[in-house]
Amino acid sequence: MTEPLFRLDPYLREAGATVIGHTAEGAILIDRSIFYPTGGGQPGDSGDLLWDGGRLPIATTLKAEAGRIALVPAAAQAMPPIGAPVRQVLDWDRRHRHMRVHTALHLLSVVIPLPVTGGQIGAERGRLDFDMPEPPSDVAELEQRLNALIGRDLAVTEDWITDEALLADPSIVKTMSVMPPVGQGRVRLVRIGQGAAQVDLQPCGGTHVARTSEIGRIEFARIEKKGRQNRRVTIALADRPRGPDLKAVKAVKAVKAVKAVKAVKA
């Protein structure tokens, strides 16, 4: 079994480990990992694996059998041998953005208190699918309320609950289609706010920021109808890299086309 260092301290950017095996698909198994494996809608981490005489870029991270974590190389090349000490170097900017988006999605489920039917986390944006027959009447108000929660600088902490306690209180589970994994005796809970200031508590195995203010400003990107009752709400980090303004590009092309026609006529 791999020790999940990312759960003990999600802010670790580097850590040592030992190679304990290779998979048939060409991934590296390690005894302790700062790399989060794909799961719960959160992508697996990427980065680099260093050892004496070698460096291997890691494209993603996956769960393997027997509780082990597998690092998937970005390309086929020499791998560290079993038993070799290695140094894990996380792509911290990408992971931190995942943390910010993930915590923001928890707060989105507070602002829109409806059953969640699905979700996905990215480095720039994330989405939740809600059991929402009708669209929200005021998206700007929802965005304002979400950013107000973020601005309260609430502490994000974890707690643990037994399998039995979770099954006895299903109200803390917001997802309709997927139940938190049980069978290991306890389930991790992520709490936002403390005491009377608590705003959210739900099972989650992913990585989160320490305080909500770390998320930064969030924008509502779009709301889409997905099926008879589902609506997908996508939010995005306001400081994400921006692509070209497609409307502006089209406008410039249209002006150039008009000028070209006029030039031909002249």
Side-chain angles (χ1 to χ4, degrees):
M1 182 172 181
T2 302
E3 181 183 5
L5 297 180
F6 57 82
R7 187 160 294 147
L8 299 175
D9 183 359
Y11 287 86
L12 279 176
R13 304 186 189 195
E14 296 188 22
T18 300
V19 177
I20 58 175
H22 302 138
T23 70
E25 297 77 17
I28 303 101
L29 303 171
I30 53 178
D31 65 339
R32 55 207 304 260
S33 176
I34 60 173
F35 289 82
Y36 177 84
T38 301
Q42 182 172 330
D45 283 329
S46 56
D48 290 287
L49 198 63
L50 311 177
W51 70 97
D52 187 19
R55 173 183 174 275
L56 188 64
I58 301 300
T60 189
T61 306
L62 301 173
K63 295 176 182 176
E65 295 180 351
R68 295 177 296 179
I69 290 176
L71 308 184
V72 180
Q77 61 184 79
M79 297 194 298
I82 296 174
V86 293
R87 190 74 182 169
Q88 308 167 72
V89 181
L90 193 65
D91 181 344
W92 171 248
D93 181 67
R94 178 172 179 264
R95 150 69 87 72
H96 189 237
R97 286 177 173 270
H98 287 163
M99 291 163 62
R100 292 168 61 196
V101 171
H102 199 159
T103 308
L105 289 176
H106 278 224
L107 291 178
L108 178 64
S109 72
V110 175
V111 172
I112 304 178
L114 295 173
V116 176
T117 59
Q120 187 65 46
I121 297 156
E124 312 297 343
R125 62 188 65 221
R127 53 91 171 169
L128 288 180
D129 296 343
F130 292 96
D131 184 8
M132 183 192 297
E134 300 298 327
S137 59
D138 193 337
V139 176
E141 181 189 2
L142 291 176
E143 183 176 300
Q144 183 179 20
R145 288 169 54 198
L146 177 58
N147 282 294
L149 283 175
I150 292 170
R152 287 173 60 182
D153 191 34
L154 299 168
V156 182
T157 56
E158 69 172 31
D159 203 347
W160 294 84
I161 190 172
T162 64
D163 291 353
E164 293 76 15
L166 176 66
L167 295 174
D169 185 14
S171 64
I172 63 174
V173 180
K174 296 188 176 183
T175 53
M176 294 177 62
S177 57
V178 181
M179 277 290 291
V182 295
Q184 297 183 352
R186 63 177 191 162
V187 175
R188 178 177 179 252
L189 302 178
V190 171
R191 185 190 311 274
I192 302 181
Q194 297 288 324
Q198 178 178 308
V199 298
D200 190 52
L201 178 68
Q202 58 179 293
C204 182
T207 57
H208 290 268
V209 294
R211 304 194 70 88
T212 59
S213 60
E214 199 174 327
I215 297 169
R217 182 163 181 79
I218 290 291
E219 298 172 347
F220 273 60
R222 62 179 177 269
I223 298 178
E224 308 167 272
K225 185 174 175 60
K226 294 290 182 179
R228 185 169 60 88
Q229 293 205 164
N230 286 347
R231 275 182 168 76
R232 176 167 296 172
V233 180
T234 301
I235 59 174
L237 300 175
D239 64 354
R240 68 191 182 280
R242 305 283 180 155
D245 186 332
L246 296 182
K247 289 184 178 179
V249 170
K250 288 181 180 179
V252 170
K253 287 183 177 179
V255 170
K256 288 182 177 180
V258 170
K259 287 182 177 180
V261 170
K262 287 182 177 179
V264 170
K265 289 182 177 180

